[in-house]
C-alpha cells in the first residue's frame, strides 16, 4: 500500500511539473504550478472537469500517460485497501486475529453445556451487553451461528489451544475481567483436567488479578487447581447425590432448584451491592427494604476474604506437581494471595451488616 502511495505521489509531482513547464508559455490555463497539480489530480482520478486542457501535442501525450497511470495506480490502491479489510475480516472469522476488547469474559474450551451457559449469560445481560471471547477449535460455521444466536452478548472468537500463552495473548487475557475454563471437547470427546491446570497456571502468570473459574471432571484434581490459584473450582456432578437425597426426603426440591438454576428461568440467585446507608444496620431492615422496594428475597450475605498464601496452598507431601506449580508462579514473579468467599446464609434478624458484605437475594431478572 505504501509503495503504491509513493508511486502515486511521484507520478503526480512529475506530471504536475511537466505539464506546467510545457503548457505555461502557450496556455493561460496553466499559469501556476498549482494549476498543474489540479489538472493532474483531476486527470488521474478520471473526473475530467474540462476546465484545464493541454493545448500542445506533448501536453496531450502527457495527459494520456497520466490517465493510464492513474487508472492503474488508483485501481491497485483501492484493491489493496479492499484486500486488507477482507483479509482482516477472514482472520476474525477464522479466529486468527487478536481481539480488541477489555474487561471481557474469556471462555476457554467448548462442550455440550457451553451454549446453555451462553444462554444464561444472555438472559443476565439484558441491561448491558457482555463482551465474551471464545477460545476453542470449533469450525467457523458453528462460531458464526453462536455469534448470531445471542443478541445481548458481543462475542469474539480466537482459534487455538488455550493452554498456549500466544493464544491467550490473542484473547487479550491481560485486560480480561474473568476467565472460565471448561473441559474441552473440540479436539477429543474425552477431555482431561490437565489442560485446565496448565491453562490456569499460564493465565495467572500473564494476569494474576483476573478471576479464573475452572470446571474440572475429576474431584481428585481439586487440590492441584487450588494450588494453581484458581479462584473458583466447579466439579462435574458434585452435588448430584445430595440433590437426589434431598428430593427423596423433601419431594419438590429438584423443582425448586430447577426454577432457580435453569438457563431459561427469570428467577435467579443474585449477588447485589448493599446501599451504604444499611452498613451497621440489622439484617431485618435490609430484608424489609429489598422485599418492599425491589421485590427481592434476602437470604444472606457474601464477602471476599484474602488470607491464603503460596506456602499455605502447597501440600505438605511435596510432589512434582507442587514443584512445577511453585516454579511457574515464581518465574512469573507472583506473590500469591488467594481469596475465598465467606457465606452467611439465613443470619439472625439482629445480625449487623458489615461494609464488606454483599447481599444474596432471590429475584427476577429485570427485562
Amino acid at each position: 500500500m505504501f509503495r503504491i502511495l509513493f508511486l502515486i505521489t511521484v507520478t503526480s509531482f512529475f506530471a504536475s511539473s511537466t505539464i506546467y513547464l510545457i503548457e505555461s508559455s502557450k496556455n493561460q490555463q496553466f499559469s501556476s504550478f498549482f494549476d498543474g497539480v489540479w489538472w493532474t489530480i483531476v486527470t488521474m482520478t478520471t473526473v475530467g472537469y474540462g476546465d484545464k486542457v493541454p493545448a500542445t501535442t506533448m501536453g496531450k501525450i502527457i495527459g494520456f500517460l497520466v490517465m493510464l497511470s492513474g487508472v492503474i495506480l488508483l485501481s491497485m490502491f483501492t484493491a489493496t485497501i479492499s484486500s486488507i479489510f477482507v483479509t482482516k475480516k477472514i482472520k476474525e472469522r477464522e479466529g486468527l486475529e487478536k481481539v480488541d476488547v477489555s474487561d471481557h469474559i474469556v471462555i476457554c474450551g467448548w462442550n455440550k453445556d457451553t451454549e446453555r451457559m451462553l444462554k444464561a449469560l444472555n438472559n443476565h445481560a439484558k441491561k448491558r451487553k457482555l463482551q465474551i471471547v471464545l477460545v476453542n477449535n470449533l469450525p467457523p460455521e458453528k462460531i458464526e451461528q453462536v455469534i448470531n444466536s445471542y443478541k445481548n452478548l458481543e462475542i469474539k472468537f480466537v482459534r487455538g489451544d488455550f493452554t498456549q500463552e500466544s493464544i491467550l495473548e490473542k484473547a487479550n487475557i491481560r485486560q480480561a475481567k474473568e476467565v472460565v475454563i471448561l473441559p474441552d471437547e473440540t479436539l477429543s470427546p474425552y477431555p482431561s483436567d490437565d489442560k485446565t491446570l496448565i491453562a490456569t497456571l499460564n493465565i495467572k502468570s500473564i494476569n494474576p488479578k483476573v478471576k479464573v473459574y475452572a470446571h474440572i471432571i475429576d474431584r481428585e484434581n481439586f487440590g492441584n487447581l487450588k494450588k494453581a490459584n484458581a479462584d473458583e473450582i466447579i466439579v462435574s456432578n458434585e452435588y448430584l447425590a445430595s440433590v437426589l437425597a434431598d428430593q427423596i426426603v423433601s419431594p419438590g426440591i429438584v423443582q425448586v432448584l430447577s426454577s432457580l438454576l435453569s438457563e431459561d428461568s427469570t428467577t435467579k440467585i443474585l449477588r447485589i451491592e448493599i446501599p451504604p446507608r444499611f452498613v451497621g444496620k440489622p439484617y431485618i431492615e435490609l430484608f424489609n427494604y429489598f422485599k418492599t422496594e425491589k421485590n427481592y428475597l434476602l437470604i444472606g450475605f457474601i464477602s471476599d476474604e484474602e488470607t491464603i498464601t503460596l506456602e499455605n496452598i502447597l501440600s505438605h507431601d511435596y510432589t512434582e506437581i507442587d514443584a512445577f506449580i511453585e516454579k511457574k508462579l515464581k518465574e512469573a514473579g507472583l506473590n500469591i494471595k488467594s481469596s475465598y468467599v465467606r457465606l452467611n446464609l439465613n443470619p439472625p434478624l439482629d445480625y449487623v451488616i458489615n461494609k464488606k458484605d454483599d447481599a444474596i437475594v432471590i429475584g427476577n431478572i429485570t427485562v
Side-chain angles (χ1 to χ4, degrees), residues 345-362:
L345 297 177
N346 192 28
L349 295 178
D350 60 352
Y351 171 81
V352 177
I353 298 167
N354 190 288
K355 65 179 180 179
K356 290 184 178 181
D357 287 338
D358 283 345
I360 307 171
V361 301
I362 296 176

Side-chain angles (χ1 to χ4, degrees), residues 255-267:
Q255 285 74 18
V256 173
L257 293 176
S258 177
S259 175
L260 292 174
L261 303 178
S262 170
E263 65 272 14
D264 294 316
S265 174
T266 57
T267 304

Side-chain angles (χ1 to χ4, degrees), residues 157-270:
F157 173 54
V158 173
R159 177 179 301 283
D161 184 351
F162 56 81
T163 62
Q164 297 179 9
E165 291 188 15
S166 60
I167 300 299
L168 294 172
E169 291 285 3
K170 282 186 178 181
N172 202 11
I173 212 77
R174 293 181 187 277
Q175 294 183 304
K177 181 182 179 182
E178 294 160 325
V179 181
V180 180
I181 307 176
L182 304 173
D184 188 22
E185 296 178 357
T186 58
L187 294 178
S188 170
Y190 307 104
S192 69
D193 294 332
D194 295 342
K195 290 183 71 173
T196 305
L197 174 60
I198 296 170
T200 302
L201 289 167
N202 285 335
I203 290 166
K204 284 294 187 179
S205 67
I206 296 171
N207 183 0
K209 295 181 180 179
V210 70
K211 292 278 187 182
V212 175
Y213 306 120
H215 177 191
I216 59 175
I217 301 167
D218 190 348
R219 182 163 183 81
E220 290 184 2
N221 294 313
F222 186 96
N224 292 333
L225 264 297
K226 206 65 184 173
K227 294 169 191 175
N229 206 31
D231 295 274
E232 295 291 341
I233 303 164
I234 300 95
V235 183
S236 293
N237 299 324
E238 183 175 19
Y239 304 108
L240 179 60
S242 177
V243 169
L244 288 174
D246 291 342
Q247 176 68 13
I248 293 169
V249 175
S250 305
I253 292 297
V254 169
Q255 285 74 18
V256 173
L257 293 176
S258 177
S259 175
L260 292 174
L261 303 178
S262 170
E263 65 272 14
D264 294 316
S265 174
T266 57
T267 304
K268 297 289 184 181
I269 301 174
L270 306 171

Side-chain angles (χ1 to χ4, degrees), residues 81-199:
I81 294 292
S82 300
S83 175
I84 290 171
F85 282 104
V86 170
T87 301
K88 182 176 176 61
K89 197 68 179 175
I90 291 173
K91 284 187 174 181
E92 286 180 356
R93 182 174 180 271
E94 296 287 339
L96 303 176
E97 283 278 288
K98 180 176 179 178
V99 297
D100 184 21
V101 291
S102 59
D103 290 329
H104 53 292
I105 301 170
V106 180
I107 300 178
C108 298
W110 185 274
N111 56 49
K112 61 183 183 295
D113 294 322
T114 308
E115 286 203 63
R116 295 177 60 190
M117 183 176 68
L118 290 174
K119 188 175 182 180
L121 287 172
N122 185 69
N123 290 337
H124 277 283
K126 289 178 179 177
K127 282 188 174 180
R128 180 179 61 88
K129 277 195 172 185
L130 291 177
Q131 292 184 315
I132 307 288
V133 177
L134 301 177
V135 185
N136 55 58
N137 285 287
L138 283 176
E141 310 81 56
K142 177 62 178 177
I143 289 296
E144 196 167 343
Q145 177 190 335
V146 170
I147 291 173
N148 294 329
S149 297
Y150 305 103
K151 63 179 181 179
N152 298 328
L153 302 179
E154 185 180 325
I155 300 176
K156 296 187 179 296
F157 173 54
V158 173
R159 177 179 301 283
D161 184 351
F162 56 81
T163 62
Q164 297 179 9
E165 291 188 15
S166 60
I167 300 299
L168 294 172
E169 291 285 3
K170 282 186 178 181
N172 202 11
I173 212 77
R174 293 181 187 277
Q175 294 183 304
K177 181 182 179 182
E178 294 160 325
V179 181
V180 180
I181 307 176
L182 304 173
D184 188 22
E185 296 178 357
T186 58
L187 294 178
S188 170
Y190 307 104
S192 69
D193 294 332
D194 295 342
K195 290 183 71 173
T196 305
L197 174 60
I198 296 170

